[in-house]
């Protein structure tokens, strides 16, 4: 085992005694180049300067080189330690520290300095907090609105399970896009997402629309974990019943041998077929490809999402 691989596994103490799942060689269509551009280094420098955490790094996103070269970054608030231990995720697990009350202002300042037209804010799960971190999300949104008023804001939240009133606090802060990922099909939740409940997550998305129909809702799943095509189709139907606007589908990539094994690499043709199926069900936006991730090219997608809603409203008149 390499030193780097061993270091990454220590991030997940709950996985250390699990048997190894060999990491499969990636097919040609899913390989990416190492980041080397000046723009990438400039974005990295700004992240370090403001002492910020990004999901791009913590989750080992394969698109970090492309996104940071375009000065796109997804900020991860409330620390880098998650209270849950999902089998697919490379974010470290353990006991988190206290919230940093100045973090919302640092995120806002970095957003302004990067000149972002669209910013994505996500977080670790903070089941240790009474509100799951809802107020911290709201304060971050408010800080960005003040420092960078022209920037549109997308949030990718935890499920706030068993935290009464938490969702309402976040919705009242009026993000432009509310994203919460379901990650996989219901049958695989006990092994892939054991700390969550499928229908709670679905109801969360539905409640956002009930509380504020003007907010775009977005959610994503990974494929290649052993799901069946009919199960993916059922998730699409569940999403549409909850009036979810934007669906993302991407390939699961195994971070370390201790994480859930890849069942198979889904082909680009299959991703295209999923996209056709999803569009036929009425989603305003669909992103389906091997390298699709929740916040990948989120700014460009938001512009198309807003345009799609305007066309939908015009056609309804």
């Amino acid at each position: 085992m390499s030193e780097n691989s061993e270091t990454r596994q220590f991030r997940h103490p709950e996985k250390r005694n699990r048997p190894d799942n060999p990491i499969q060689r990636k097919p040609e269509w899913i390989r990416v180049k190492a980041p080397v551009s000046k723009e990438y280094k400039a974005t990295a420098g700004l992240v370090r300067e403001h002492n910020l955490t990004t999901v791009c790094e913590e989750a080992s996103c394969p698109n970090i080189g492309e996104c940071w070269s375009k000065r796109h970054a997804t900020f991860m608030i409330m620390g880098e330690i998650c209270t849950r231990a999902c089998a697919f995720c490379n974010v470290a697990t353990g006991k988190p520290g206290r919230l940093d009350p100045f973090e919302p202002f640092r995120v806002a300042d970095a957003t302004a300095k990067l000149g972002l037209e669209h910013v994505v804010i996500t977080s670790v799960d903070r089941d240790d907090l009474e509100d799951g971190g809802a107020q911290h999300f709201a304060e971050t949104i408010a800080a960005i609105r003040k420092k960078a008023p022209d920037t549109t804001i997308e949030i990718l939240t935890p499920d706030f399970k068993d935290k009464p009133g938490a969702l309402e606090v976040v919705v009242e802060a009026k993000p432009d896009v509310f994203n919460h990922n379901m990650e996989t099909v219901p049958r695989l939740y006990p092994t892939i997402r054991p700390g969550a409940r499928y229908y709670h997550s679905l109801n969360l998305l539905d409640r956002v629309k009930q509380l504020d129909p003007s907010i775009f809702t977005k959610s994503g799943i990974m494929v290649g974990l052993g799901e069946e095509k009919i199960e993916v189709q059922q998730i699409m139907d569940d999403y549409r019943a909850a009036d979810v606007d934007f669906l993302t589908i991407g390939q699961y990539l195994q971070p370390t041998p201790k994480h859930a094994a890849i069942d198979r690499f889904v082909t680009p043709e299959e991703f295209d077929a999923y996209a056709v199926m999803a569009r036929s069900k009425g989603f305003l936006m669909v992103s389906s490809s091997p390298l699709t991730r929740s916040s990948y090219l989120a700014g460009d997608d938001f512009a198309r999402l807003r345009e799609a809603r305007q066309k939908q409203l015009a056609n309804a008149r």
Side-chain angles (χ1 to χ4, degrees):
M1 184 186 300
S2 70
E3 181 180 352
N4 183 56
S5 177
E6 187 173 3
T7 299
R8 291 171 71 188
Q9 287 187 41
F10 285 146
R11 295 158 56 90
H12 310 283
E14 79 292 342
K15 296 180 174 71
R16 290 178 70 173
N17 294 324
R18 293 181 184 177
D20 284 358
N21 293 312
I23 296 180
Q24 301 179 40
R25 181 179 173 82
K26 296 182 182 73
E28 288 293 334
W29 66 75
I30 211 164
R31 296 177 191 173
V32 294
K33 295 180 180 179
V36 294
S37 72
K38 292 186 298 182
E39 292 78 9
Y40 169 87
K41 293 177 182 177
T43 301
L46 196 60
V47 168
R48 305 287 176 268
E49 176 189 340
H50 287 76
N51 192 29
L52 297 173
T53 302
T54 68
V55 76
C56 320
E57 295 173 293
E58 296 301 317
S60 302
C61 180
N63 302 315
I64 187 171
E66 180 181 358
C67 289
W68 282 25
S69 292
K70 295 179 178 178
R71 292 211 159 199
H72 296 169
T74 298
F75 299 117
M76 191 168 79
I77 59 175
M78 295 189 276
E80 55 191 43
I81 307 294
C82 187
T83 55
R84 297 193 192 174
C86 295
F88 65 87
C89 184
N90 198 40
V91 173
T93 303
K95 184 178 179 180
R98 294 180 179 180
L99 292 182
D100 178 356
F102 300 105
E103 182 177 52
F105 306 103
R106 293 202 311 275
V107 171
D109 193 48
T111 298
K113 286 183 177 178
L114 280 168
L116 299 182
E117 295 181 1
H118 185 81
V119 64
V120 183
I121 309 297
T122 189
S123 79
V124 290
D125 278 289
R126 290 298 303 260
D127 294 327
D128 58 309
L129 299 175
E130 186 175 348
D131 68 349
Q135 185 61 38
H136 204 72
F137 263 106
E139 290 172 2
T140 303
I141 293 168
I144 295 169
R145 294 282 188 224
K146 185 174 182 179
K147 189 76 175 182
D150 295 329
T151 300
T152 50
I153 302 172
E154 178 172 330
I155 57 171
L156 172 56
T157 76
D159 59 17
F160 301 119
K161 193 173 71 172
D162 303 324
K163 310 292 183 183
L167 178 64
E168 287 76 4
V169 168
V170 179
V171 171
E172 285 174 10
K174 294 192 75 69
D176 296 283
V177 181
F178 191 110
N179 187 357
H180 173 68
N181 287 333
M182 305 280 282
E183 308 293 7
T184 190
V185 300
R187 177 175 58 84
L188 297 178
Y189 261 55
T191 54
I192 301 302
R193 201 178 175 219
R197 299 293 178 268
Y198 177 84
Y199 287 104
H200 176 84
S201 286
L202 187 65
N203 184 61
L204 184 87
L205 292 160
D206 188 44
R207 283 281 294 145
V208 172
K209 279 296 188 184
Q210 292 176 28
L211 291 166
D212 190 341
S214 70
I215 295 176
F216 290 104
T217 49
K218 177 178 177 180
S219 189
I221 61 169
M222 301 170 291
V223 290
L225 282 163
E227 70 291 327
E228 301 291 337
K229 182 178 178 180
I230 193 170
E231 293 177 301
V232 176
Q233 183 173 351
Q234 182 59 57
I235 279 192
M236 291 182 189
D237 290 338
D238 289 345
Y239 276 145
R240 291 307 300 132
D243 201 20
V244 171
D245 297 303
F246 187 175
L247 169 64
T248 63
I249 306 175
Q251 171 72 51
Y252 166 63
L253 296 176
Q254 183 183 344
T256 77
K258 297 299 183 183
H259 285 77
I262 293 177
D263 177 70
R264 70 188 185 94
F265 288 103
V266 179
T267 67
E269 292 75 19
E270 290 175 279
F271 278 104
D272 290 343
Y274 278 139
V276 171
M277 182 190 300
R279 291 188 184 99
S280 73
K281 293 179 181 294
F283 289 96
L284 283 180
M285 274 285 297
V286 179
S287 179
S288 176
S289 74
L291 288 174
T292 288
R293 297 295 181 268
S294 289
S295 53
Y296 179 50
L297 302 179
D300 297 337
D301 285 342
F302 176 74
R304 288 192 287 269
L305 185 63
R306 187 161 49 186
E307 182 181 355
R309 174 180 280 178
Q310 291 169 347
K311 288 182 179 178
Q312 184 185 61
L313 293 174
N315 292 335
R317 289 171 186 163

